[in-house]
Amino acid sequence: MEGIEFSTLGAVLGLLIAIVLIIKNFHSTYSLILGAIIGGIIGGGGLDGTVKAMISGSAGMMSSILRIMTSGILAGCLVKTGAAEKIAETIVNKLGEKNAIISISISTMIICAVGVFIDISVITTAPIALAVAKRTKMSKSASLFAMIGGGKAGNIISPNPNTIATSEAFGVKLNSLMGINIIPALIALIITIILAKTINRKFNDIVTDNDIDIVDNSLKDLPRFASAIAGPATVVILLALRPLFDIVVDPLIALPLGGIVCLFVCGEIKHISEYSAYGFSKVIGVCALLIGTGTLSGIISNSHLQTDMISLIDTLNLKPFILAPLSGILMAAATASTTAGATIASKTFANTLISADVNSINAAAMVHSGATVLDSLPHGSFFHATGGSVKMVIKDRLKLIPYEALVGFASTITAIIIYLI
C-alpha cells in the first residue's frame, strides 16, 4: 500500500502478540486483529495508517474467502451424504486389515485431497481407523498419526482453503498448484507409512472398547462408491478443462457444483439446504480467520520485514528461494494453522520471491509444503480436534508432533528438489 510503511520491529511484535494471545486461548481472529493494531502503531504507521493497511490487507483476502465459502458446499455434501466415509471404507476394505496403516493413511489422504478439510478428514476416518486398529491390535498413536500424515499429504494437493489462498497470492492456477505438489504429497505419504509403523512398534496404547464407544455408528446406509466419488470427480474434470481445452471454470463454480452432483447421484438433493448449512458452519471459522490474517498480513507486507529477511539471507549466503519454505514453516508455526501460515507467508513474500526470479508456481509449492511442517502445534485447533477424534490425552498427543513435522518436512524438501531440478 503506497505511502504507508511499518518497521520490522512493529511487524514482528504484532505477530508475537498475536501468537501469545492465541496460545492463551484468546479467539484467533481477534488475536490477529489486535496484533495487527499494536504492531502497526509500534511500527510507526499511526492509527489511521494502521487501520488503512489492515483494511487493505483483509480486502485482498476476499477472492480467496469467496472461493473457500463456496467450497463448504462440497465439503458439507461429502460428509453428510456419507460419501467421504464410503471412500474411506472402500479403500480400507480393498487393502485389507493386513495393510491397516497403509489403508488408513491413503483413506485420509484421498478424503482430504478431494476437498474435505484436514481436521474433518481425520474425524471422518477416525471411526473406521479405530475399528481396524482394535481388530489388528494397532497402537492408537499409530492410527492417529497415519490419519494426520495422510491428511497432510492430501492437503497440499487439495482445493482446500490453504491451497486456494496460496494460489491466489502467487497468481497461479489452483489446479497447477495442486498438480505440482503431487510428488511431494506421495513422498509425504510414504514417510507417513514408515513412521506410523515405527510408532506402532514404539507405543503401547492399544485401542480399546472404550475408544470405540465414542464413535457414532448409527449412520444411515452409505452410498455406492461410484456415487460417493462422483462429486470430487466432477470438480477434477471441471478444473482440468482449463489446461486441457482452455475453458476456464473457476473453483468458485467447480467446488459447489461438485457438491450438487454428489447430492444428485446420492439421491439427497432435497437436503441441499441442510447440507450446505453444515458445510458453511465448517468454513465460516476459516473465513473469519482469513479476515484476521489479512489485517496482520497488511501490516507485515507493508513493513521492512521483507527486505530485512532478504538481507539476512544474503548475509548468510543463502539462495533467495529459501525464503519460500522458511516463511511457510515459520508463519504456520506462529499461527498453528496451515491456512493462516500459508496465507501470511504468500501475501508477504510472493512479490519478493518472484522479483528474485523464483518461478511463481515453485515458490507457491514450497510455501504451501512448508506450511505443513509445524502447523499442528498446541495453540491451534487442529491439535485438539485430532486428539479428540480418538480420545487421546494431551500428553500423548504432544508426542506425535515431531513425527508430524517430519512428514511436512519431507514434502517441503521434495518441493525444493523439484524447484532445483
Side-chain angles (χ1 to χ4, degrees), residues 2-51:
E2 292 184 13
I4 302 175
E5 288 188 347
F6 304 93
S7 68
T8 298
L9 176 64
V12 172
L13 281 178
L15 182 59
L16 289 175
I17 289 167
I19 294 169
V20 170
L21 290 172
I22 291 170
I23 291 173
K24 294 293 184 180
N25 292 323
F26 199 67
H27 194 284
S28 298
T29 300
Y30 290 136
S31 298
L32 292 162
I33 292 173
L34 189 56
I37 293 171
I38 297 173
I41 293 172
I42 293 175
L47 189 58
D48 185 54
T50 296
V51 171

mmCIF file of all heavy atoms in Angstrom, residues 2-51:
data_model
loop_
_atom_site.group_PDB
_atom_site.id
_atom_site.type_symbol
_atom_site.label_atom_id
_atom_site.label_comp_id
_atom_site.label_asym_id
_atom_site.label_seq_id
_atom_site.Cartn_x
_atom_site.Cartn_y
_atom_site.Cartn_z
ATOM 1 N N GLU A 2 0.736 2.082 -0.994
ATOM 2 C CA GLU A 2 1.630 3.224 -1.175
ATOM 3 C C GLU A 2 1.502 4.235 -0.043
ATOM 4 O O GLU A 2 0.418 4.556 0.432
ATOM 5 C CB GLU A 2 1.321 3.916 -2.519
ATOM 6 C CG GLU A 2 1.691 3.056 -3.728
ATOM 7 C CD GLU A 2 1.465 3.796 -5.019
ATOM 8 O OE1 GLU A 2 1.276 5.031 -4.959
ATOM 9 O OE2 GLU A 2 1.473 3.164 -6.076
ATOM 10 N N GLY A 3 2.665 4.735 0.399
ATOM 11 C CA GLY A 3 2.692 5.799 1.386
ATOM 12 C C GLY A 3 2.683 5.360 2.831
ATOM 13 O O GLY A 3 2.894 6.170 3.728
ATOM 14 N N ILE A 4 2.432 4.083 3.079
ATOM 15 C CA ILE A 4 2.409 3.594 4.458
ATOM 16 C C ILE A 4 3.463 2.507 4.622
ATOM 17 O O ILE A 4 3.450 1.511 3.897
ATOM 18 C CB ILE A 4 1.026 3.024 4.833
ATOM 19 C CG1 ILE A 4 -0.062 4.073 4.648
ATOM 20 C CG2 ILE A 4 1.020 2.511 6.276
ATOM 21 C CD1 ILE A 4 -1.470 3.556 4.872
ATOM 22 N N GLU A 5 4.375 2.731 5.549
ATOM 23 C CA GLU A 5 5.413 1.739 5.826
ATOM 24 C C GLU A 5 5.525 1.528 7.322
ATOM 25 O O GLU A 5 5.341 2.457 8.121
ATOM 26 C CB GLU A 5 6.765 2.189 5.259
ATOM 27 C CG GLU A 5 6.840 2.132 3.744
ATOM 28 C CD GLU A 5 8.254 2.406 3.235
ATOM 29 O OE1 GLU A 5 9.097 2.870 4.040
ATOM 30 O OE2 GLU A 5 8.507 2.160 2.044
ATOM 31 N N PHE A 6 5.835 0.292 7.696
ATOM 32 C CA PHE A 6 5.988 -0.063 9.102
ATOM 33 C C PHE A 6 7.376 -0.659 9.324
ATOM 34 O O PHE A 6 7.960 -1.250 8.409
ATOM 35 C CB PHE A 6 4.916 -1.074 9.524
ATOM 36 C CG PHE A 6 3.512 -0.620 9.262
ATOM 37 C CD1 PHE A 6 2.858 -0.955 8.076
ATOM 38 C CD2 PHE A 6 2.831 0.165 10.179
ATOM 39 C CE1 PHE A 6 1.570 -0.540 7.812
ATOM 40 C CE2 PHE A 6 1.538 0.590 9.932
ATOM 41 C CZ PHE A 6 0.905 0.248 8.751
ATOM 42 N N SER A 7 7.874 -0.515 10.512
ATOM 43 C CA SER A 7 9.194 -1.074 10.816
ATOM 44 C C SER A 7 9.107 -2.586 10.989
ATOM 45 O O SER A 7 8.035 -3.135 11.282
ATOM 46 C CB SER A 7 9.744 -0.448 12.104
ATOM 47 O OG SER A 7 8.978 -0.872 13.223
ATOM 48 N N THR A 8 10.237 -3.250 10.810
ATOM 49 C CA THR A 8 10.295 -4.694 11.025
ATOM 50 C C THR A 8 9.953 -5.026 12.474
ATOM 51 O O THR A 8 9.254 -6.012 12.752
ATOM 52 C CB THR A 8 11.701 -5.223 10.690
ATOM 53 O OG1 THR A 8 11.960 -4.979 9.298
ATOM 54 C CG2 THR A 8 11.817 -6.711 10.965
ATOM 55 N N LEU A 9 10.415 -4.183 13.398
ATOM 56 C CA LEU A 9 10.136 -4.391 14.813
ATOM 57 C C LEU A 9 8.633 -4.427 15.075
ATOM 58 O O LEU A 9 8.127 -5.311 15.785
ATOM 59 C CB LEU A 9 10.790 -3.296 15.661
ATOM 60 C CG LEU A 9 10.494 -3.338 17.173
ATOM 61 C CD1 LEU A 9 11.064 -4.608 17.783
ATOM 62 C CD2 LEU A 9 11.067 -2.100 17.862
ATOM 63 N N GLY A 10 7.916 -3.472 14.494
ATOM 64 C CA GLY A 10 6.468 -3.422 14.688
ATOM 65 C C GLY A 10 5.782 -4.655 14.126
ATOM 66 O O GLY A 10 4.888 -5.231 14.762
ATOM 67 N N ALA A 11 6.192 -5.064 12.918
ATOM 68 C CA ALA A 11 5.591 -6.238 12.275
ATOM 69 C C ALA A 11 5.833 -7.497 13.107
ATOM 70 O O ALA A 11 4.916 -8.300 13.329
ATOM 71 C CB ALA A 11 6.156 -6.412 10.867
ATOM 72 N N VAL A 12 7.061 -7.669 13.579
ATOM 73 C CA VAL A 12 7.418 -8.861 14.364
ATOM 74 C C VAL A 12 6.697 -8.853 15.715
ATOM 75 O O VAL A 12 6.164 -9.881 16.157
ATOM 76 C CB VAL A 12 8.946 -8.952 14.568
ATOM 77 C CG1 VAL A 12 9.295 -10.065 15.549
ATOM 78 C CG2 VAL A 12 9.641 -9.191 13.237
ATOM 79 N N LEU A 13 6.654 -7.680 16.366
ATOM 80 C CA LEU A 13 5.954 -7.587 17.657
ATOM 81 C C LEU A 13 4.460 -7.863 17.497
ATOM 82 O O LEU A 13 3.846 -8.525 18.332
ATOM 83 C CB LEU A 13 6.170 -6.203 18.275
ATOM 84 C CG LEU A 13 7.518 -5.966 18.963
ATOM 85 C CD1 LEU A 13 7.613 -4.539 19.481
ATOM 86 C CD2 LEU A 13 7.723 -6.949 20.116
ATOM 87 N N GLY A 14 3.890 -7.364 16.407
ATOM 88 C CA GLY A 14 2.475 -7.621 16.137
ATOM 89 C C GLY A 14 2.206 -9.110 15.995
ATOM 90 O O GLY A 14 1.225 -9.636 16.536
ATOM 91 N N LEU A 15 3.093 -9.798 15.278
ATOM 92 C CA LEU A 15 2.971 -11.240 15.092
ATOM 93 C C LEU A 15 3.129 -11.967 16.424
ATOM 94 O O LEU A 15 2.356 -12.883 16.753
ATOM 95 C CB LEU A 15 4.015 -11.729 14.089
ATOM 96 C CG LEU A 15 4.002 -13.222 13.744
ATOM 97 C CD1 LEU A 15 2.654 -13.628 13.171
ATOM 98 C CD2 LEU A 15 5.121 -13.542 12.761
ATOM 99 N N LEU A 16 4.109 -11.556 17.215
ATOM 100 C CA LEU A 16 4.356 -12.195 18.509
ATOM 101 C C LEU A 16 3.179 -12.005 19.464
ATOM 102 O O LEU A 16 2.797 -12.927 20.192
ATOM 103 C CB LEU A 16 5.636 -11.640 19.145
ATOM 104 C CG LEU A 16 6.959 -12.048 18.478
ATOM 105 C CD1 LEU A 16 8.133 -11.328 19.131
ATOM 106 C CD2 LEU A 16 7.143 -13.562 18.569
ATOM 107 N N ILE A 17 2.610 -10.805 19.455
ATOM 108 C CA ILE A 17 1.438 -10.532 20.310
ATOM 109 C C ILE A 17 0.273 -11.439 19.909
ATOM 110 O O ILE A 17 -0.419 -12.014 20.760
ATOM 111 C CB ILE A 17 1.031 -9.047 20.216
ATOM 112 C CG1 ILE A 17 2.079 -8.171 20.928
ATOM 113 C CG2 ILE A 17 -0.358 -8.813 20.815
ATOM 114 C CD1 ILE A 17 1.950 -6.693 20.637
ATOM 115 N N ALA A 18 0.070 -11.585 18.605
ATOM 116 C CA ALA A 18 -0.995 -12.465 18.114
ATOM 117 C C ALA A 18 -0.753 -13.906 18.558
ATOM 118 O O ALA A 18 -1.677 -14.612 18.985
ATOM 119 C CB ALA A 18 -1.083 -12.391 16.592
ATOM 120 N N ILE A 19 0.515 -14.353 18.483
ATOM 121 C CA ILE A 19 0.864 -15.721 18.892
ATOM 122 C C ILE A 19 0.559 -15.941 20.372
ATOM 123 O O ILE A 19 -0.062 -16.940 20.755
ATOM 124 C CB ILE A 19 2.352 -16.011 18.619
ATOM 125 C CG1 ILE A 19 2.631 -16.016 17.110
ATOM 126 C CG2 ILE A 19 2.776 -17.348 19.233
ATOM 127 C CD1 ILE A 19 4.114 -16.043 16.771
ATOM 128 N N VAL A 20 1.000 -14.997 21.196
ATOM 129 C CA VAL A 20 0.790 -15.121 22.646
ATOM 130 C C VAL A 20 -0.702 -15.182 22.967
ATOM 131 O O VAL A 20 -1.149 -16.009 23.777
ATOM 132 C CB VAL A 20 1.454 -13.945 23.399
ATOM 133 C CG1 VAL A 20 1.037 -13.944 24.868
ATOM 134 C CG2 VAL A 20 2.973 -14.032 23.286
ATOM 135 N N LEU A 21 -1.492 -14.325 22.324
ATOM 136 C CA LEU A 21 -2.932 -14.312 22.572
ATOM 137 C C LEU A 21 -3.582 -15.625 22.144
ATOM 138 O O LEU A 21 -4.463 -16.154 22.840
ATOM 139 C CB LEU A 21 -3.579 -13.136 21.832
ATOM 140 C CG LEU A 21 -3.259 -11.742 22.386
ATOM 141 C CD1 LEU A 21 -3.793 -10.668 21.449
ATOM 142 C CD2 LEU A 21 -3.852 -11.566 23.784
ATOM 143 N N ILE A 22 -3.137 -16.175 21.004
ATOM 144 C CA ILE A 22 -3.681 -17.456 20.530
ATOM 145 C C ILE A 22 -3.339 -18.567 21.510
ATOM 146 O O ILE A 22 -4.184 -19.413 21.839
ATOM 147 C CB ILE A 22 -3.145 -17.785 19.117
ATOM 148 C CG1 ILE A 22 -3.726 -16.808 18.087
ATOM 149 C CG2 ILE A 22 -3.503 -19.220 18.720
ATOM 150 C CD1 ILE A 22 -3.091 -16.899 16.713
ATOM 151 N N ILE A 23 -2.086 -18.565 21.991
ATOM 152 C CA ILE A 23 -1.658 -19.574 22.966
ATOM 153 C C ILE A 23 -2.482 -19.468 24.249
ATOM 154 O O ILE A 23 -2.793 -20.467 24.894
ATOM 155 C CB ILE A 23 -0.151 -19.422 23.277
ATOM 156 C CG1 ILE A 23 0.679 -19.820 22.044
ATOM 157 C CG2 ILE A 23 0.264 -20.281 24.482
ATOM 158 C CD1 ILE A 23 2.163 -19.552 22.184
ATOM 159 N N LYS A 24 -2.860 -18.245 24.609
ATOM 160 C CA LYS A 24 -3.655 -18.009 25.819
ATOM 161 C C LYS A 24 -5.155 -18.267 25.583
ATOM 162 O O LYS A 24 -5.998 -17.932 26.409
ATOM 163 C CB LYS A 24 -3.471 -16.567 26.305
ATOM 164 C CG LYS A 24 -2.062 -16.240 26.789
ATOM 165 C CD LYS A 24 -1.720 -16.996 28.052
ATOM 166 C CE LYS A 24 -0.345 -16.590 28.572
ATOM 167 N NZ LYS A 24 -0.004 -17.339 29.813
ATOM 168 N N ASN A 25 -5.446 -18.878 24.425
ATOM 169 C CA ASN A 25 -6.829 -19.253 24.074
ATOM 170 C C ASN A 25 -7.751 -18.072 23.809
ATOM 171 O O ASN A 25 -8.980 -18.198 23.892
ATOM 172 C CB ASN A 25 -7.445 -20.150 25.164
ATOM 173 C CG ASN A 25 -6.786 -21.508 25.214
ATOM 174 O OD1 ASN A 25 -6.424 -22.067 24.184
ATOM 175 N ND2 ASN A 25 -6.604 -22.041 26.414
ATOM 176 N N PHE A 26 -7.174 -16.910 23.474
ATOM 177 C CA PHE A 26 -7.979 -15.792 23.003
ATOM 178 C C PHE A 26 -8.409 -16.122 21.574
ATOM 179 O O PHE A 26 -7.694 -16.825 20.861
ATOM 180 C CB PHE A 26 -7.149 -14.504 23.027
ATOM 181 C CG PHE A 26 -7.953 -13.241 22.998
ATOM 182 C CD1 PHE A 26 -8.761 -12.890 24.065
ATOM 183 C CD2 PHE A 26 -7.911 -12.398 21.896
ATOM 184 C CE1 PHE A 26 -9.514 -11.715 24.039
ATOM 185 C CE2 PHE A 26 -8.658 -11.235 21.849
ATOM 186 C CZ PHE A 26 -9.460 -10.894 22.935
ATOM 187 N N HIS A 27 -9.568 -15.664 21.155
ATOM 188 C CA HIS A 27 -10.068 -16.015 19.816
ATOM 189 C C HIS A 27 -9.029 -15.669 18.745
ATOM 190 O O HIS A 27 -8.485 -14.555 18.718
ATOM 191 C CB HIS A 27 -11.376 -15.271 19.529
ATOM 192 C CG HIS A 27 -12.121 -15.801 18.358
ATOM 193 N ND1 HIS A 27 -11.743 -15.552 17.056
ATOM 194 C CD2 HIS A 27 -13.219 -16.598 18.287
ATOM 195 C CE1 HIS A 27 -12.574 -16.145 16.232
ATOM 196 N NE2 HIS A 27 -13.482 -16.794 16.946
ATOM 197 N N SER A 28 -8.754 -16.634 17.849
ATOM 198 C CA SER A 28 -7.677 -16.474 16.856
ATOM 199 C C SER A 28 -7.853 -15.238 15.975
ATOM 200 O O SER A 28 -6.900 -14.492 15.733
ATOM 201 C CB SER A 28 -7.591 -17.723 15.970
ATOM 202 O OG SER A 28 -7.285 -18.856 16.735
ATOM 203 N N THR A 29 -9.077 -15.022 15.478
ATOM 204 C CA THR A 29 -9.319 -13.879 14.595
ATOM 205 C C THR A 29 -9.054 -12.564 15.321
ATOM 206 O O THR A 29 -8.364 -11.671 14.801
ATOM 207 C CB THR A 29 -10.768 -13.900 14.066
ATOM 208 O OG1 THR A 29 -10.978 -15.117 13.335
ATOM 209 C CG2 THR A 29 -11.017 -12.710 13.144
ATOM 210 N N TYR A 30 -9.580 -12.433 16.533
ATOM 211 C CA TYR A 30 -9.367 -11.210 17.311
ATOM 212 C C TYR A 30 -7.893 -11.063 17.722
ATOM 213 O O TYR A 30 -7.379 -9.947 17.818
ATOM 214 C CB TYR A 30 -10.259 -11.202 18.552
ATOM 215 C CG TYR A 30 -11.729 -11.025 18.239
ATOM 216 C CD1 TYR A 30 -12.696 -11.799 18.875
ATOM 217 C CD2 TYR A 30 -12.146 -10.078 17.308
ATOM 218 C CE1 TYR A 30 -14.047 -11.636 18.579
ATOM 219 C CE2 TYR A 30 -13.487 -9.912 17.016
ATOM 220 C CZ TYR A 30 -14.438 -10.693 17.649
ATOM 221 O OH TYR A 30 -15.767 -10.524 17.347
ATOM 222 N N SER A 31 -7.226 -12.188 17.958
ATOM 223 C CA SER A 31 -5.796 -12.141 18.292
ATOM 224 C C SER A 31 -4.998 -11.523 17.151
ATOM 225 O O SER A 31 -4.125 -10.673 17.363
ATOM 226 C CB SER A 31 -5.273 -13.556 18.582
ATOM 227 O OG SER A 31 -5.913 -14.127 19.690
ATOM 228 N N LEU A 32 -5.310 -11.953 15.930
ATOM 229 C CA LEU A 32 -4.612 -11.445 14.747
ATOM 230 C C LEU A 32 -4.914 -9.961 14.524
ATOM 231 O O LEU A 32 -4.019 -9.178 14.191
ATOM 232 C CB LEU A 32 -5.010 -12.269 13.522
ATOM 233 C CG LEU A 32 -4.511 -13.725 13.518
ATOM 234 C CD1 LEU A 32 -5.296 -14.566 12.516
ATOM 235 C CD2 LEU A 32 -3.027 -13.773 13.202
ATOM 236 N N ILE A 33 -6.178 -9.580 14.704
ATOM 237 C CA ILE A 33 -6.562 -8.173 14.527
ATOM 238 C C ILE A 33 -5.879 -7.295 15.569
ATOM 239 O O ILE A 33 -5.326 -6.227 15.239
ATOM 240 C CB ILE A 33 -8.096 -8.013 14.614
ATOM 241 C CG1 ILE A 33 -8.769 -8.690 13.405
ATOM 242 C CG2 ILE A 33 -8.488 -6.540 14.679
ATOM 243 C CD1 ILE A 33 -10.285 -8.745 13.479
ATOM 244 N N LEU A 34 -5.889 -7.736 16.813
ATOM 245 C CA LEU A 34 -5.255 -6.955 17.884
ATOM 246 C C LEU A 34 -3.745 -6.872 17.668
ATOM 247 O O LEU A 34 -3.135 -5.810 17.858
ATOM 248 C CB LEU A 34 -5.560 -7.591 19.243
ATOM 249 C CG LEU A 34 -5.151 -6.788 20.486
ATOM 250 C CD1 LEU A 34 -5.781 -5.396 20.459
ATOM 251 C CD2 LEU A 34 -5.559 -7.522 21.762
ATOM 252 N N GLY A 35 -3.146 -7.978 17.244
ATOM 253 C CA GLY A 35 -1.715 -7.975 16.935
ATOM 254 C C GLY A 35 -1.386 -6.992 15.821
ATOM 255 O O GLY A 35 -0.371 -6.287 15.866
ATOM 256 N N ALA A 36 -2.272 -6.932 14.819
ATOM 257 C CA ALA A 36 -2.071 -6.014 13.695
ATOM 258 C C ALA A 36 -2.145 -4.559 14.163
ATOM 259 O O ALA A 36 -1.321 -3.721 13.763
ATOM 260 C CB ALA A 36 -3.119 -6.281 12.620
ATOM 261 N N ILE A 37 -3.124 -4.248 14.999
ATOM 262 C CA ILE A 37 -3.279 -2.869 15.502
ATOM 263 C C ILE A 37 -2.039 -2.436 16.291
ATOM 264 O O ILE A 37 -1.449 -1.379 16.032
ATOM 265 C CB ILE A 37 -4.532 -2.744 16.380
ATOM 266 C CG1 ILE A 37 -5.798 -2.939 15.531
ATOM 267 C CG2 ILE A 37 -4.574 -1.380 17.074
ATOM 268 C CD1 ILE A 37 -7.077 -3.049 16.350
ATOM 269 N N ILE A 38 -1.647 -3.264 17.255
ATOM 270 C CA ILE A 38 -0.498 -2.922 18.100
ATOM 271 C C ILE A 38 0.791 -2.870 17.278
ATOM 272 O O ILE A 38 1.592 -1.943 17.410
ATOM 273 C CB ILE A 38 -0.364 -3.929 19.259
ATOM 274 C CG1 ILE A 38 -1.596 -3.850 20.168
ATOM 275 C CG2 ILE A 38 0.909 -3.659 20.068
ATOM 276 C CD1 ILE A 38 -1.652 -4.912 21.239
ATOM 277 N N GLY A 39 0.964 -3.851 16.403
ATOM 278 C CA GLY A 39 2.165 -3.890 15.562
ATOM 279 C C GLY A 39 2.261 -2.694 14.642
ATOM 280 O O GLY A 39 3.344 -2.128 14.439
ATOM 281 N N GLY A 40 1.107 -2.291 14.078
ATOM 282 C CA GLY A 40 1.096 -1.148 13.167
ATOM 283 C C GLY A 40 1.446 0.150 13.863
ATOM 284 O O GLY A 40 2.226 0.964 13.349
ATOM 285 N N ILE A 41 0.888 0.342 15.052
ATOM 286 C CA ILE A 41 1.164 1.573 15.808
ATOM 287 C C ILE A 41 2.619 1.603 16.266
ATOM 288 O O ILE A 41 3.310 2.616 16.110
ATOM 289 C CB ILE A 41 0.200 1.687 17.014
ATOM 290 C CG1 ILE A 41 -1.228 1.898 16.509
ATOM 291 C CG2 ILE A 41 0.624 2.826 17.939
ATOM 292 C CD1 ILE A 41 -2.282 1.837 17.591
ATOM 293 N N ILE A 42 3.114 0.487 16.812
ATOM 294 C CA ILE A 42 4.523 0.419 17.228
ATOM 295 C C ILE A 42 5.451 0.571 16.024
ATOM 296 O O ILE A 42 6.527 1.170 16.113
ATOM 297 C CB ILE A 42 4.810 -0.923 17.950
ATOM 298 C CG1 ILE A 42 4.065 -0.977 19.281
ATOM 299 C CG2 ILE A 42 6.315 -1.114 18.187
ATOM 300 C CD1 ILE A 42 4.180 -2.305 20.003
ATOM 301 N N GLY A 43 4.979 0.052 14.882
ATOM 302 C CA GLY A 43 5.794 0.109 13.667
ATOM 303 C C GLY A 43 5.852 1.484 13.021
ATOM 304 O O GLY A 43 6.509 1.656 11.991
ATOM 305 N N GLY A 44 5.144 2.466 13.595
ATOM 306 C CA GLY A 44 5.263 3.835 13.096
ATOM 307 C C GLY A 44 4.242 4.234 12.055
ATOM 308 O O GLY A 44 4.380 5.274 11.403
ATOM 309 N N GLY A 45 3.191 3.455 11.879
ATOM 310 C CA GLY A 45 2.203 3.784 10.857
ATOM 311 C C GLY A 45 1.102 4.705 11.346
ATOM 312 O O GLY A 45 0.307 5.196 10.537
ATOM 313 N N GLY A 46 1.062 4.930 12.657
ATOM 314 C CA GLY A 46 -0.021 5.755 13.204
ATOM 315 C C GLY A 46 -1.337 4.990 13.178
ATOM 316 O O GLY A 46 -1.472 3.974 12.493
ATOM 317 N N LEU A 47 -2.326 5.495 13.905
ATOM 318 C CA LEU A 47 -3.609 4.797 13.986
ATOM 319 C C LEU A 47 -4.320 4.762 12.637
ATOM 320 O O LEU A 47 -4.827 3.722 12.208
ATOM 321 C CB LEU A 47 -4.498 5.473 15.034
ATOM 322 C CG LEU A 47 -5.802 4.741 15.394
ATOM 323 C CD1 LEU A 47 -5.503 3.331 15.901
ATOM 324 C CD2 LEU A 47 -6.590 5.529 16.433
ATOM 325 N N ASP A 48 -4.348 5.899 11.948
ATOM 326 C CA ASP A 48 -5.037 5.972 10.658
ATOM 327 C C ASP A 48 -4.354 5.083 9.619
ATOM 328 O O ASP A 48 -5.018 4.315 8.909
ATOM 329 C CB ASP A 48 -5.072 7.421 10.166
ATOM 330 C CG ASP A 48 -5.886 7.569 8.886
ATOM 331 O OD1 ASP A 48 -7.062 7.142 8.880
ATOM 332 O OD2 ASP A 48 -5.334 8.089 7.892
ATOM 333 N N GLY A 49 -3.034 5.166 9.533
ATOM 334 C CA GLY A 49 -2.290 4.351 8.569
ATOM 335 C C GLY A 49 -2.410 2.871 8.868
ATOM 336 O O GLY A 49 -2.497 2.038 7.955
ATOM 337 N N THR A 50 -2.417 2.523 10.150
ATOM 338 C CA THR A 50 -2.550 1.117 10.558
ATOM 339 C C THR A 50 -3.892 0.551 10.122
ATOM 340 O O THR A 50 -3.958 -0.543 9.545
ATOM 341 C CB THR A 50 -2.398 0.992 12.093
ATOM 342 O OG1 THR A 50 -1.084 1.397 12.469
ATOM 343 C CG2 THR A 50 -2.629 -0.437 12.554
ATOM 344 N N VAL A 51 -4.950 1.300 10.374
ATOM 345 C CA VAL A 51 -6.298 0.841 10.009
ATOM 346 C C VAL A 51 -6.417 0.681 8.494
ATOM 347 O O VAL A 51 -6.991 -0.304 8.005
ATOM 348 C CB VAL A 51 -7.371 1.809 10.544
ATOM 349 C CG1 VAL A 51 -8.747 1.457 9.980
ATOM 350 C CG2 VAL A 51 -7.402 1.759 12.065
#
